[in-house]
Amino acid sequence: GHKGWLSSIQFSPTGLHLATGSEDCSVKVWDFAKSACIRSLTEHTQAVWDVAYMTDCPDFVVSCSMDHTAKLWDLTVGRCRQTFRGHVDSVNSVCFQPYSNHIATASGDKTVSLWDCRSGLCAQTFYGHKNAVNSLAFAMQGDVISSVDADGCLRVWDVRKVAELAAVTTGRHPCNSVAIDPSGKAIAVGCDDSVIRTYETDTGALIQNMSGHTDSVQCVAFAMPSSSSPGFLVSAGSDCSFRTWN
């Protein structure tokens, strides 16, 4: 297994595999049926902060690291297909634009960038954050990015217009994680003050504060709705607990 703390974990689109990122500079892919690691990807030179699968393809994973880069991995051969260079500080979060060949990255250099996976070039950079950007998320429609920073600021970006839709101060505490619900209408933010805050995507208006954790909220994620479930929010915190919210 890994030889350091885990920073990120994500299921493949098929649900058969799991990708993990670690302090040990590696990305590993795990097979549930075999109960074993089937790929170990080791080209990063510092801790890996985040991993993400391509939305509709289980063969590609993207990772980001303290080494200032993001990498695109081809899991069919276990090789790095692209390295994205341009950030001048740690790359803290990464995700695929749904159903496209672009990824977005959030960095300690206070920027959010959009990259073309085919060329490896930066297609656009979003400026506005005043401190390290800790997390970002795409709306499932692919037209909106939300990002949060160490100053406790949430920003919402229009990808097509390359414009800021909303900027919200959540409080004095850093924001650690952000997620957009499957409908694209609401944003959840996990904060260092143990509170989860939800906002309207279009206006940035506060929907509600959700209290229950007793320490920093480190991660938030929306579950996809199905015929048997309306969907829900999951959070995990430094209080050694995870919680589900309706």
Side-chain angles (χ1 to χ4, degrees):
H2 286 290
K3 294 179 172 60
W5 41 257
L6 297 183
S7 57
S8 182
I9 186 168
Q10 192 180 59
F11 280 101
S12 69
T14 61
L16 300 176
H17 297 150
L18 198 67
T20 54
S22 171
E23 178 202 21
D24 65 10
C25 310
S26 74
V27 175
K28 292 182 183 293
V29 179
W30 307 83
D31 185 299
F32 287 111
K34 298 177 181 177
S35 299
C37 176
I38 57 172
R39 291 289 185 197
S40 187
L41 312 169
T42 58
E43 290 189 26
H44 281 296
T45 58
Q46 294 189 54
V48 177
W49 278 127
D50 200 10
V51 294
Y53 271 95
M54 196 171 190
T55 313
D56 55 348
C57 179
D59 296 333
F60 291 94
V61 164
V62 68
S63 60
C64 65
S65 168
M66 286 181 68
D67 65 11
H68 303 187
T69 71
K71 290 180 180 289
L72 176 69
W73 305 92
D74 183 342
L75 300 183
T76 61
V77 293
R79 289 178 51 196
C80 177
R81 289 295 187 186
Q82 200 69 260
T83 298
F84 306 92
R85 295 183 174 91
H87 286 296
V88 295
D89 205 331
S90 173
V91 185
N92 300 325
S93 184
V94 65
C95 62
F96 274 97
Q97 183 178 25
Y99 309 107
S100 83
N101 290 310
H102 289 84
I103 64 166
T105 54
S107 173
D109 64 13
K110 309 174 188 177
T111 65
V112 171
S113 291
L114 191 67
W115 307 80
D116 187 318
C117 289
R118 291 162 294 191
S119 67
L121 298 177
C122 181
Q124 192 57 250
T125 299
F126 300 84
Y127 298 94
H129 285 286
K130 307 301 182 186
N131 207 334
V133 188
N134 292 331
S135 178
L136 85 168
F138 260 107
M140 284 301 295
Q141 296 76 13
D143 56 343
V144 170
I145 298 172
S146 62
S147 55
V148 293
D149 66 28
D151 280 341
C153 184
L154 161 69
R155 294 182 185 272
V156 185
W157 312 92
D158 185 310
V159 176
R160 295 187 181 95
K161 296 180 180 177
V162 194
E164 186 180 277
L165 292 175
V168 180
T169 299
T170 67
R172 298 180 180 179
H173 297 81
C175 297
N176 299 320
S177 181
V178 65
I180 303 179
D181 85 314
S183 73
K185 296 180 179 179
I187 298 171
V189 180
C191 302
D192 243 21
D193 63 355
S194 77
V195 177
I196 300 165
R197 296 171 172 85
T198 55
Y199 299 89
E200 295 179 359
T201 304
D202 292 341
T203 65
L206 179 68
I207 299 173
Q208 63 177 325
N209 293 329
M210 303 161 71
S211 299
H213 284 287
T214 58
D215 204 342
S216 303
V217 180
Q218 299 294 347
C219 185
V220 291
F222 282 99
M224 293 292 291
S226 66
S227 57
S228 59
S229 171
F232 52 89
L233 178 70
V234 181
S235 61
S238 297
D239 58 4
C240 305
S241 75
F242 74 91
R243 298 168 187 266
T244 59
W245 312 81
N246 292 323

